[in-house]
């Protein structure tokens, strides 16, 4: 119990900071008010990298093409070395332009290269809408993005992910919660230091991207969205990141292995392939998420007031901050106290990400590494 006498108050201190002073990361509402109609609606070109996406495009591409946008709007689909007829599917659905990505140069991440090929084909619009092939848009979503870009250079929406299966309901809300904890959306919106975006939906001002060095400046980025946010903020850009039910991912993750692969693909990359950062991250997850319930239960059984009280209060703060995300996903708040178990799974996925990297399989996506 002596160890818990120390660790439980430390965990409680961490949760007091996270709940009260960490950018309101747990809030799910818009970080800023909606923007006004622009005096003249800018020209927007959607760039959609697609690798073996013939199956999902019929669910998503029509929602992009159907946007009732008052200005000029074009859609470019980039076939990224697909083998399933993606280009033909996109053309058949009515994309304005379908291009086949040229051979990827050494050092370029696959998705970033496909994005750059779309930029090359797009001409000179005022904004690029970088969006994934699995993302569907509600009517009017593009116009809302452009309104919010009236004083912004990057407007990004965290797409609502599937929560159909039991594993999706357990993993997905926690995934978004942890992302917001790493990159509090309100700090992205209001500060200069925190930079991030959600790669499924990023509206980017072309002039700002060019001034920052273009996509070539992040050519090797496996986590392209965070890299793009950092690039633009370093160039003085103003950014916005929100959750949005009007931007929806249609990609299913029916099994634990699918979700595990999604997270393990890039977790170690986010830690800059550093064993020290990996160890610190795992220990941090254990301190923040595992210690509160362990201290609370052990303290109650042993009638030790310090770990019991500190553990219960930290666990309560953790639970309270997770409830808004569960409500956003229309899931029961009764799931919130089990967040420590999901956090332990994320720690295991992070360690597995490092293992895959050490085996030369890190960053694998649809048969391609990076």
């Amino acid at each position: 119990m002596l160890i818990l006498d120390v660790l439980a108050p430390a965990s409680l201190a961490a949760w007091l900071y996270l709940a009260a002073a960490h950018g309101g990361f747990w809030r799910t509402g818009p970080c800023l008010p909606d923007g006004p109609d622009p005096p003249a609606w800018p020209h927007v070109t959607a760039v959609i990298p697609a690798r073996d996406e013939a199956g999902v495009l019929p669910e998503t591409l029509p929602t992009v093409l159907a946007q009732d946008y008052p200005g000029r709007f074009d859609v470019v689909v980039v076939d990224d070395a697909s083998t399933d007829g993606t280009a033909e599917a996109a053309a058949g659905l009515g994309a304005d332009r379908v291009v086949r990505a040229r051979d990827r140069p050494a050092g370029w991440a696959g998705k970033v290269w496909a994005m750059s090929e779309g930029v090359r084909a797009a001409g000179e619009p005022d904004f690029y809408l970088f969006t994934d092939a699995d993302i569907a848009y509600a009517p009017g979503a593009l116009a809302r993005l452009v309104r919010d870009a009236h004083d912004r250079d990057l407007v990004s929406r965290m797409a609502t992910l599937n929560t159909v299966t039991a594993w999706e309901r357990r993993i997905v809300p926690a995934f978004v919660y942890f992302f917001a904890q790493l990159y509090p959306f309100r700090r992205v919106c209001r500060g200069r230091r925190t930079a991030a975006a959600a790669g499924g939906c990023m509206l980017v001002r072309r002039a700002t991207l060019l001034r920052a060095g273009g996509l070539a400046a992040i050519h090797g980025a496996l986590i392209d969205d965070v890299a793009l946010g950092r690039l633009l903020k370093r160039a003085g850009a103003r950014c916005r990141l929100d959750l949005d039910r009007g931007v929806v991912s249609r990609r299913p993750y029916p099994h634990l292995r699918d979700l595990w692969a999604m997270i393990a693909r890039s977790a170690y990359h986010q830690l800059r392939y550093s064993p020290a950062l990996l160890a610190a991250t795992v220990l941090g997850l254990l301190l923040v998420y595992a210690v509160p319930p362990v201290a609370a239960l052990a303290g109650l059984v042993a009638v030790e007031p310090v770990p019991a009280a500190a553990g219960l209060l930290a666990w309560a703060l953790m639970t309270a901050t997770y409830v808004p995300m569960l409500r956003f996903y229309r899931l029961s708040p009764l799931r919130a106290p089990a967040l420590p178990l999901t956090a332990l799974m994320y720690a295991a996925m992070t360690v597995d990400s490092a293992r895959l990297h050490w085996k030369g399989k890190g960053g694998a996506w649809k048969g391609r590494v990076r």
Side-chain angles (χ1 to χ4, degrees), residues 111-322:
K111 182 182 175 183
V112 181
W113 174 245
M115 291 164 62
S116 72
E117 290 289 86
V119 166
R120 181 177 64 88
E124 298 184 351
D126 299 299
F127 287 90
Y128 301 115
L129 174 61
F130 295 115
T131 185
D132 289 348
D134 66 308
I135 301 298
Y137 287 78
L142 176 59
R144 289 194 296 274
L145 283 166
V146 172
R147 289 189 189 99
D148 289 344
H150 71 104
D151 63 346
R152 303 280 146 171
D153 302 287
L154 166 64
V155 176
S156 182
R157 299 287 198 256
M158 174 67 77
T160 301
L161 305 177
N162 280 330
T163 51
V164 176
T165 68
W167 282 115
E168 286 172 339
R169 289 191 289 270
R170 169 167 288 187
I171 301 292
V172 164
F175 170 78
V176 182
Y177 174 88
F178 294 146
F179 183 88
Q181 195 174 76
L182 281 173
Y183 308 105
F185 293 3
R186 279 159 179 74
R187 289 186 176 177
V188 172
C189 293
R190 298 191 172 109
R192 287 293 178 186
R193 296 181 60 184
T194 304
C201 175
M202 302 184 292
L203 183 70
V204 179
R205 197 178 298 271
R206 183 178 68 88
T208 305
L209 180 60
L210 289 175
R211 187 172 68 247
L215 292 174
I218 60 166
H219 65 275
L222 186 61
I223 308 175
D224 58 281
D225 43 14
V226 174
L228 183 58
R230 287 172 177 165
L231 174 71
L232 295 177
K233 275 215 170 176
R234 285 198 300 267
R238 302 185 71 192
C239 304
R240 175 169 181 166
L241 174 60
D242 293 293
L243 294 170
D244 195 335
R245 287 199 182 97
V247 180
V248 180
S249 172
R250 297 299 187 196
R251 190 177 304 285
Y253 295 96
H255 307 291
L256 175 60
R257 64 176 178 270
D258 304 309
L259 290 156
W260 192 289
M262 175 190 73
I263 295 162
R265 174 176 178 261
S266 59
Y268 197 43
H269 175 83
Q270 194 161 15
L271 298 176
R272 302 194 293 275
Y273 305 115
S274 166
L277 285 177
L278 174 65
T281 297
V282 172
L283 290 174
L285 284 169
L286 292 175
L287 173 65
V288 173
Y289 289 99
V291 166
V294 170
L297 296 176
L300 289 173
V301 169
V303 196
E304 292 285 346
V306 171
L312 284 170
L313 184 52
W315 197 1
L317 288 170
M318 180 198 316
T319 299
T321 61
Y322 189 40

Side-chain angles (χ1 to χ4, degrees), residues 90-113:
L93 291 166
D96 296 299
R97 189 167 183 186
V98 180
V99 299
R100 295 183 186 272
R102 297 172 295 175
D103 290 342
R104 178 167 54 110
W108 281 75
K111 182 182 175 183
V112 181
W113 174 245

